[in-house]
């Protein structure tokens, strides 16, 4: 039996990867799990960020427990991680095992200042046209503004430092997906990921995708690419 564990990003929640998780559930008989990391859940009804007093180890432990629970009844585990969740997924794959690994907008390197400037310029243009409230990326940033304590940012950086060595332990089929318009994780991150991972990865750049790669206007293209990678036959020779 097959299971798929999908891990969301920093200050986000399962909603960030919801369309991808739903598509996999609808088109396979796999068990698909998307745990909400401690202190997270923004975007879910009745839940807000509560990151004070939460450590990066809490996030990793939650994902690890979800992984170990799946291994009790499933032989094949597929791992997908978005943003910070990509590094946590890489940690699980490096420490344990998986059939295939998907890294989406993975925050090996985190902030692209030039692209963020472009995003905010675009927000200004939309505000002048009174269409800003329709912009999904703007609403995502607005909800988070003022909700992320400095403590949580430090824990995020510790998570990146802790998980990085496990990139060198990845010997599975790997797909790296990255949006060229990502204002949080620069597309140059892919170079660093590919350099540290010891096997050749399949890399796809999505020209119109921003950071929320599974929620953007071209999310269907991203989802199809991920699904094809997970379900295609691999060369066993």
């Amino acid at each position: 039996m097959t299971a798929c564990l999908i891990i969301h990003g920093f200050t986000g929640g399962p909603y960030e990867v919801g369309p991808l998780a739903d598509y996999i559930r609808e088109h396979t008989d796999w068990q698909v799990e998307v745990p909400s990391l401690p202190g997270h859940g923004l975007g879910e009804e009745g839940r807000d960020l509560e990151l004070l007093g939460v450590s990066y180890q809490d996030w990793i432990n939650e994902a690890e427990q979800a992984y170990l629970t799946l291994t009790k009844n499933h032989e094949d585990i597929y791992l997908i991680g978005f943003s910070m969740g990509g590094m946590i997924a890489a940690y699980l794959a490096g420490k344990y095992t998986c059939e295939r690994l998907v890294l989406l907008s993975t925050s090996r390197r985190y902030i692209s200042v030039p692209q963020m400037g472009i995003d905010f310029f675009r927000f200004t243009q939309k505000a002048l046209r009174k269409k800003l409230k329709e912009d999904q990326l703007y609403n995502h940033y607005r909800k988070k503004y003022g909700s992320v304590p400095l403590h949580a940012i430090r824990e995020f950086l510790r998570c990146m430092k802790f998980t990085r060595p496990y990139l060198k332990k990845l010997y599975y089929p790997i797909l790296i997906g990255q949006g060229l318009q990502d204002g949080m994780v620069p597309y140059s991150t892919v170079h660093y990921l590919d350099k540290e991972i010891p096997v050749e990865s399949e890399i796809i750049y999505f020209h119109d995708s921003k950071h929320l790669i599974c929620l953007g206007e071209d999310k269907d293209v991203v989802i199809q690419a991920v699904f094809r990678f997970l379900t295609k036959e691999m060369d066993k020779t």
Side-chain angles (χ1 to χ4, degrees):
M1 295 180 65
T2 300
C4 182
L5 178 62
I6 309 178
I7 307 171
H8 68 75
F10 177 60
T11 72
Y15 71 95
E16 293 178 312
V17 293
L20 174 59
D22 290 343
Y23 187 90
I24 295 173
R25 290 190 185 103
E26 292 169 5
H27 293 83
T28 69
D29 59 356
W30 305 349
Q31 181 174 346
V32 180
E33 294 294 333
V34 190
S36 182
L37 303 181
H40 291 72
L42 187 69
E44 296 179 2
E45 185 176 355
R47 290 202 59 184
D48 207 340
L49 292 175
E50 298 177 355
L51 292 168
L52 280 174
V54 180
S55 72
Y56 81 88
Q57 198 62 56
D58 294 327
W59 303 332
I60 288 177
N61 289 344
E62 184 73 20
E64 192 162 8
Q65 185 56 55
Y67 172 89
L68 293 174
T69 298
L70 288 176
T71 61
K72 293 178 181 178
N73 297 307
H74 300 84
E75 295 180 0
D76 298 332
I77 307 291
Y78 293 161
L79 290 171
I80 301 174
F82 163 72
S83 195
M84 180 183 76
M87 291 302 291
I88 296 178
Y91 158 77
L92 293 174
K95 182 177 180 179
Y96 300 104
T97 186
C98 71
E99 290 298 309
R100 300 176 193 183
L101 172 65
V102 178
L103 304 175
L104 299 174
S105 306
T106 296
S107 51
R108 171 62 188 86
R109 301 236 168 173
Y110 1 94
I111 298 176
S112 172
V113 175
Q115 183 57 46
M116 288 184 71
I118 293 172
D119 285 340
F120 282 104
F121 175 77
R122 186 170 56 80
F123 294 158
T124 302
Q125 296 296 99
K126 284 199 171 186
L128 292 173
R129 300 196 304 270
K130 297 183 178 181
K131 294 185 176 181
L132 187 57
K133 292 183 179 180
E134 302 172 6
D135 190 287
Q136 188 175 41
L137 187 64
Y138 166 77
N139 288 320
H140 185 71
Y141 287 153
R142 182 176 59 83
K143 288 179 181 179
K144 291 185 179 183
Y145 183 75
S147 300
V148 184
L150 182 59
H151 160 79
I153 296 173
R154 287 197 297 264
E155 291 305 306
F156 167 79
L157 295 174
R158 288 170 179 160
C159 184
M160 296 303 96
K161 182 178 180 181
F162 176 79
T163 53
R164 177 185 170 185
Y166 289 87
L167 293 172
K168 299 183 183 299
K169 301 180 180 183
L170 302 179
Y171 291 93
Y172 316 102
I174 298 171
L175 171 66
I176 299 174
Q178 177 66 44
L180 291 180
Q181 311 302 322
D182 193 330
M184 297 299 293
V185 177
Y187 61 81
S188 59
T189 296
V190 173
H191 167 75
Y192 296 100
L193 284 172
D194 192 46
K195 185 176 180 180
E196 293 185 76
I197 294 172
V199 297
E200 184 176 353
S201 303
E202 181 177 337
I203 299 171
I204 301 178
Y205 291 100
F206 297 95
H207 185 270
D208 296 322
S209 290
K210 298 178 176 60
H211 187 58
L212 297 174
I213 198 167
C214 295
L215 295 178
E217 294 179 0
D218 56 345
K219 67 179 185 295
D220 292 340
V221 177
V222 175
I223 290 170
Q224 286 293 330
V226 172
F227 189 73
R228 281 195 299 269
F229 171 77
L230 293 177
T231 57
K232 72 179 179 181
E233 292 294 326
M234 297 292 185
D235 186 357
K236 302 295 184 179
T237 61

